[in-house]
Amino acid sequence: MKLLTVNFLTCAVKTCKTSSESYPLHFRDAQLEQNPQTFNPLFIRNILSRLDWSALTTTANELGLTAMLPDHNPADDMMVDSEGATEEEKNRAKDNVISEEVLKKLHTFLVDTAVIEGKLVCGNCGFEYPIKEGVGNFLLPPHLV
Ligand SMILES: [Zn+2]
């Protein structure tokens, strides 16, 4: 499971949907693997604005990977302040500001780094979602659905 994935996951238990404790899910007994994928700078750049940086930082800290993650979202540096900027101008600003080096580092963290065995644990209800052979099982047992 790519580290990127966990940024888009919440606990499936109904009563957890409204709890701030249920996000992000917390890795436990995580076994990491570097699994190099083709570097796609455009993909990384586009996904940046959709990431929850504080959740990502939590994930990095829990896995002991804090050094791999910039301390803030590089997308925040690219804010175009002139209100009349077109989409195209904003996109160009992105191209200019985020260096390939930063994007590569993010690619390594978000896409190349995978958890192959372990659990994701909900901070609200404590439910443990197992991860086996890189695949997370997010099905709930019948009594929780
Ligand atoms: Zn939960």
Side-chain angles (χ1 to χ4, degrees), residues 10-13 15-17 22 25 121-127 129:
T10 52
C11 182
V13 174
T15 50
C16 289
K17 294 288 180 197
S22 66
L25 297 173
V121 183
C122 174
N124 188 52
C125 71
F127 191 79
Y129 297 92

Side-chain angles (χ1 to χ4, degrees), residues 49 73-82 85 89-90 93-94 97:
S49 58
N73 192 333
D76 294 343
D77 297 337
M78 316 173 310
M79 291 301 173
V80 180
D81 19 29
S82 64
E89 281 166 341
K90 288 178 192 164
K94 291 182 199 178
V97 180

Side-chain angles (χ1 to χ4, degrees), residues 24-60:
L25 297 173
H26 305 286
F27 281 114
R28 193 174 292 165
D29 306 326
Q31 214 176 309
L32 294 169
E33 194 175 73
Q34 285 297 321
N35 185 12
Q37 311 279 316
T38 309
F39 175 52
N40 182 344
L42 197 64
F43 172 76
I44 299 294
R45 205 182 296 136
N46 286 340
I47 204 114
L48 278 180
S49 58
R50 297 176 53 203
L51 294 174
D52 182 318
W53 208 259
S54 122
L56 208 57
T57 305
T58 300
T59 301

